[in-house]
Amino acid sequence: MNNPDGQAMMPARSSGVPSRMAGNRLLLVAAGISLALAGCSKAPDEAAAPVATASPAEPAIQASTDPLIMRARALFAPIPLNAPDLPGNPATAEKLALGRMLYFDPRLSATHSISCASCHNIGLGGADNSPKSAGFHGTRGGRNSPTVFNAVFNFAQFWDGRAKDLEEQAGGPMVNPVEMASPKAHVAEQLAALPAYRDDFARAFPGDASPVSLANAQKAIAVFEATLITPNAPFDRYLRGDATALDATQKGGLTLFIDKGCSACHAGVNIGGSMYAKFGAVAAPDAKYRPADDKGRGGVTGLASDDYGFKVPTLRNIALTAPYFHTGSEQDLAKVVDTMAKAQLGQTISKDENAKLVAFLKALTGDQPRVMMPQLPASDANSPLPDK
């Protein structure tokens, strides 16, 4: 979704990535997850819903005496192969299928032209490679859209942490006047006007007297987004005990990442996403990276001590998600590394150190989700018209 959001770093106010690895393990197969974003040629009855199957076992963490692997294991954890459960929102095949459709359906927006996938493109690292995404009638959001990939492992959502989880986050852009701009009543009206969606919601939320609702749409989208994880990055394989998964340059970058203090903020399974931090903890960055009028977390809490604090971004798949910072103002990952070293750590790093750190960051790219475009319910003469 077109999130007017972003990220940076500072002393922790919150910490720890939620441990939600156990429970229902849905493997998305066949029609569920298979990249075909240019379009689906299957007939509607062939585009079957994702099904629950036996999930692959999580790879074992191999015994190791390698000093660098042991240091890394104390700070980081590999992305699991299986999607984690969402507390209070159990995954089912029916809910997952509905969430996948809603994620790609532009009719959730007032103009029927913007979907969650518009700003969180599955083929672009879960982001959109734009400094600030286009929303209602082309209006640009206030912040860069962060990746949806692995967002389930973040302790809060949006750059300023104003949503506690994926479910709460899913509703924000739909009703935001700058983004999808749909009044709450319009979302339910639009969905209820489509007979196929009425049936899909009833199957996904059995026993609910009024299953077609914005709240249930948020639940279904959250279940789908929780499956958008990227395991098996070289660094994941390294953490599990394969000492050959990183080359010498990447290992040098990992060593620097730990020794210079990057891992003080970027740690855990998501290598970030587990705390707030002030962008400019040591030295204020250039105004193009941190404009004075965006107070970040301070704009949510009203506390001056939170000014310019942002949710520390995940570094997972960072090589795929340029441009960077909450402003989307830097395209060059090497310049980002230099900027963060100065602003957060008060250090000037050499070109060799920069190259090693960038090489390590590129080792954080995992297997990308493979998602088949769903067949969406057709509009008809009774369907609400888009905003002109």
Side-chain angles (χ1 to χ4, degrees):
M1 293 172 206
N2 179 20
N3 297 340
D5 251 75
Q7 309 161 285
M9 326 206 164
M10 129 182 186
R13 298 184 64 83
S14 303
S15 62
V17 177
S19 65
R20 298 175 296 198
M21 304 302 147
N24 188 3
R25 306 298 193 183
L26 285 182
L27 177 63
L28 306 184
V29 295
I33 299 275
S34 171
L35 188 62
L37 297 180
C40 175
S41 61
K42 291 187 177 183
D45 60 343
E46 293 179 84
V51 294
T53 73
S55 299
E58 296 294 340
I61 302 295
Q62 303 297 324
S64 177
T65 58
D66 184 295
L68 185 55
I69 289 179
M70 299 305 291
R71 291 186 73 194
R73 285 177 175 175
L75 295 166
F76 312 105
I79 293 284
L81 296 185
N82 301 297
D85 270 347
L86 300 181
N89 187 15
T92 64
E94 294 78 13
K95 194 184 295 183
L96 180 58
L98 174 61
R100 182 172 62 115
M101 288 191 288
L102 294 173
Y103 186 87
F104 287 100
D105 199 330
R107 291 168 298 185
L108 294 181
S109 68
T111 58
H112 295 191
S113 61
I114 302 168
S115 70
C116 304
S118 297
C119 304
H120 299 287
N121 192 312
I122 305 298
L124 292 174
D128 67 355
N129 290 175
S130 175
K132 295 175 182 178
S133 302
F136 184 62
H137 290 314
T139 304
R140 294 285 169 174
R143 297 183 184 137
N144 177 257
S145 291
T147 178
V148 70
F149 290 175
N150 305 307
V152 66
F153 301 118
N154 291 335
F155 84 116
Q157 304 298 327
F158 294 117
W159 281 101
D160 55 19
R162 65 184 182 274
K164 65 180 180 179
D165 54 26
L166 288 177
E167 183 179 328
E168 187 173 313
Q169 181 276 333
M174 281 191 274
V175 300
N176 188 305
V178 177
E179 301 182 59
M180 298 169 81
S182 284
K184 291 183 179 180
H186 169 82
V187 176
E189 176 189 29
Q190 175 67 41
L191 296 171
L194 304 171
Y197 264 141
R198 292 201 297 269
D199 293 341
D200 291 329
F201 271 87
R203 285 190 291 266
F205 298 96
D208 193 324
S210 301
V212 183
S213 66
L214 175 59
N216 283 344
Q218 291 176 223
K219 287 179 180 292
I221 291 170
V223 165
F224 171 71
E225 289 182 339
T227 68
L228 300 179
I229 57 178
T230 62
N232 292 323
F235 186 52
D236 291 321
R237 301 197 302 273
Y238 185 75
L239 287 172
R240 288 189 171 108
D242 180 0
T244 68
L246 300 184
D247 62 27
T249 302
Q250 292 166 334
K251 290 176 183 178
L254 170 58
T255 300
L256 289 167
F257 193 84
I258 297 172
D259 289 346
K260 288 189 174 293
C262 307
S263 58
C265 293
H266 292 280
V269 66
N270 230 6
I271 316 182
S274 62
M275 60 183 282
Y276 298 117
K278 182 176 182 178
F279 188 15
V282 177
D286 190 286
K288 75 174 182 178
Y289 298 144
R290 197 196 75 179
D293 60 349
D294 187 346
K295 298 301 179 67
R297 184 66 181 162
V300 175
T301 66
L303 299 175
S305 58
D306 287 338
D307 284 353
Y308 306 119
F310 295 89
K311 182 177 95 271
V312 174
T314 173
L315 297 183
R316 294 283 184 176
N317 307 291
I318 191 70
L320 306 180
T321 57
Y324 304 107
F325 300 125
H326 63 287
T327 50
S329 53
E330 183 53 67
Q331 191 78 17
D332 187 343
L333 186 54
K335 290 183 179 179
V336 170
V337 170
D338 281 338
T339 298
M340 296 306 290
K342 293 174 183 177
Q344 303 309 113
L345 305 172
Q347 301 181 32
T348 299
I349 59 175
S350 69
K351 288 185 177 180
D352 179 69
E353 289 173 327
N354 184 296
K356 288 178 179 177
L357 284 164
V358 169
F360 167 65
L361 294 177
K362 291 181 177 179
L364 303 180
T365 302
D367 293 344
Q368 301 299 288
R370 297 177 62 80
V371 180
M372 178 175 285
M373 284 285 286
Q375 180 70 47
L376 301 177
S379 295
D380 59 24
N382 297 317
S383 302
L385 295 174
D387 186 301
K388 295 180 180 180

